[in-house]
Amino acid sequence: QVQLVESGGGLVQPGGSLRLSCVASGFTFSRWTMSWYRQAPGKERELVAQITSDDRSTTYATSVKGRFTISRDNAKNTVYLQMNSLKPEDTAVYYCNARNFFYNSWGQGTQVTVSS
């Protein structure tokens, strides 16, 4: 079965940095598009960043462009989200997502809190 295990969330001060990791198993990682989503209290889940399976092209939400970087290491079956210059508005539960034509799978989520 598909399994996505996230780590790296926590409490960080505004302007600080955090790196989230998502280790995947149970599927051919290199053939799946990987994404990070987030959901803040009272808000809908939104796409933060995406990286494709083929050319590894990336897409970012406007709100995080220039601050966040998504990357993948296919040899380690891992997706990363490097978050710099964090703002209180970035506070949310961050979810790892893997998808292809047939499936749309989610990790358990990891809490990121940006507060002074």
Side-chain angles (χ1 to χ4, degrees):
Q1 67 274 353
V2 173
Q3 184 170 259
L4 304 173
V5 180
E6 298 155 322
S7 62
L11 176 64
V12 65
Q13 296 182 30
S17 297
L18 212 58
R19 189 177 80 157
L20 306 183
S21 299
C22 173
V23 179
S25 62
F27 61 100
T28 305
F29 177 80
S30 62
R31 302 299 302 275
W32 291 54
T33 294
M34 304 298 298
S35 301
W36 288 95
Y37 287 73
R38 68 185 182 187
Q39 187 166 24
K43 297 183 178 180
E44 295 184 349
R45 188 173 299 186
E46 65 172 340
L47 177 67
V48 177
Q50 175 184 277
I51 184 165
T52 61
S53 62
D54 47 5
D55 59 0
R56 301 170 74 160
S57 62
T58 57
T59 302
Y60 297 94
T62 301
S63 60
V64 308
K65 194 172 299 181
R67 300 188 296 119
F68 290 11
T69 303
I70 188 171
S71 61
R72 65 192 297 163
D73 187 337
N74 289 344
K76 297 181 179 179
N77 288 353
T78 302
V79 178
Y80 305 95
L81 185 67
Q82 178 66 47
M83 304 184 293
N84 298 325
S85 301
L86 283 162
K87 305 174 180 180
E89 306 91 270
D90 296 318
T91 296
V93 178
Y94 284 71
Y95 298 91
C96 180
N97 172 265
R99 65 176 175 86
N100 64 9
F101 180 79
F102 297 102
Y103 303 108
N104 187 29
S105 300
W106 298 91
Q108 78 285 354
T110 184
Q111 177 70 47
V112 172
T113 302
V114 184
S115 177
S116 60

